[in-house]
Amino acid sequence: MSYTLRDVYKTYSTEAKKPVDSLTFRNICSEFNIGIMDYILEGKEFNLGNNLSSISITRQDRDPRNPRIDWGESNKYRKELLAEGKNIYDASTGKGEQWFIYHTDPFYCKFYWNKGKCKIKNKSVYRFDATRGVKGNKEKLINLLKGDELAYLRFKKK
């Protein structure tokens, strides 16, 4: 079952002695979440409290035996090939121009929920997914790493 901010507000408004209106509640939650993500992007670890452990960003080495496709660059290259009128590689025929570009950097950074210290039941079925999109937290991390070539040093190596 999935709970939204509306569900949280319903519970809050019934249990609080002097609840704020829903718009104010939503703005407070939004500002809090933005502040937490900015704190984490500085290279710090945020303790979630209530035995949920902490969230941070870690730097991990890439496994050279398992190369990962850089989809952004690959799709740009694919568009270039199509604009030039070249045939794109077809796995069934084995013919055409290869268009996959792989990541070559020795590490990558990702959001990390330290569940090792978490004290809730069935924690293996839960996961933390940072938001995506133009205003998302994954995009903030990508822009930080692209904008500052030493930004990766903020994050602990795992």
Side-chain angles (χ1 to χ4, degrees):
M1 181 170 206
S2 177
Y3 291 100
T4 65
L5 196 55
R6 276 193 185 140
D7 299 315
V8 175
Y9 180 74
K10 285 178 187 175
T11 303
Y12 158 77
S13 63
T14 58
E15 293 181 8
K17 291 180 181 177
K18 295 182 181 179
V20 297
D21 62 292
S22 63
L23 181 62
T24 304
F25 183 81
R26 186 174 60 201
N27 289 338
I28 289 169
C29 291
S30 176
E31 289 296 319
F32 177 78
N33 290 338
I34 290 169
I36 295 306
M37 280 302 148
D38 289 343
Y39 180 78
I40 291 171
L41 287 168
E42 291 173 5
K44 298 176 181 159
E45 186 173 338
F46 179 72
N47 185 346
L48 296 168
N50 296 315
N51 294 321
L52 292 174
S53 195
S54 62
I55 295 175
S56 62
I57 297 173
T58 60
R59 182 173 30 133
Q60 297 185 332
D61 292 330
R62 288 197 188 276
D63 184 358
R65 298 169 295 169
N66 187 17
R68 299 289 178 158
I69 296 173
D70 183 345
W71 286 107
E73 293 299 318
S74 294
N75 287 329
K76 286 178 191 175
Y77 184 55
R78 183 176 187 266
K79 285 180 183 177
E80 288 175 16
L81 292 174
L82 289 173
E84 294 172 3
K86 295 185 179 179
N87 291 331
I88 301 299
Y89 178 76
D90 183 8
S92 60
T93 63
K95 295 180 182 178
E97 186 89 25
Q98 290 281 355
W99 57 279
F100 292 135
I101 297 174
Y102 294 90
H103 287 284
T104 57
D105 43 351
F107 61 88
Y108 63 98
C109 295
K110 71 175 199 170
F111 287 91
Y112 174 67
W113 177 22
N114 184 3
K115 289 196 276 186
K117 297 178 183 177
C118 187
K119 296 178 183 175
I120 59 173
K121 291 181 181 181
N122 301 320
K123 63 185 172 187
S124 64
V125 298
Y126 297 104
R127 70 176 188 213
F128 174 77
D129 285 331
T131 55
R132 297 177 65 182
V134 177
K135 294 182 178 180
N137 293 309
K138 287 183 181 180
E139 193 68 26
K140 284 183 183 179
L141 177 59
I142 290 167
N143 291 336
L144 173 69
L145 294 171
K146 285 183 179 179
D148 181 4
E149 60 185 39
L150 296 178
Y152 72 93
L153 294 173
R154 298 178 186 182
F155 310 119
K156 293 179 184 175
K157 202 170 187 183
K158 182 176 181 223

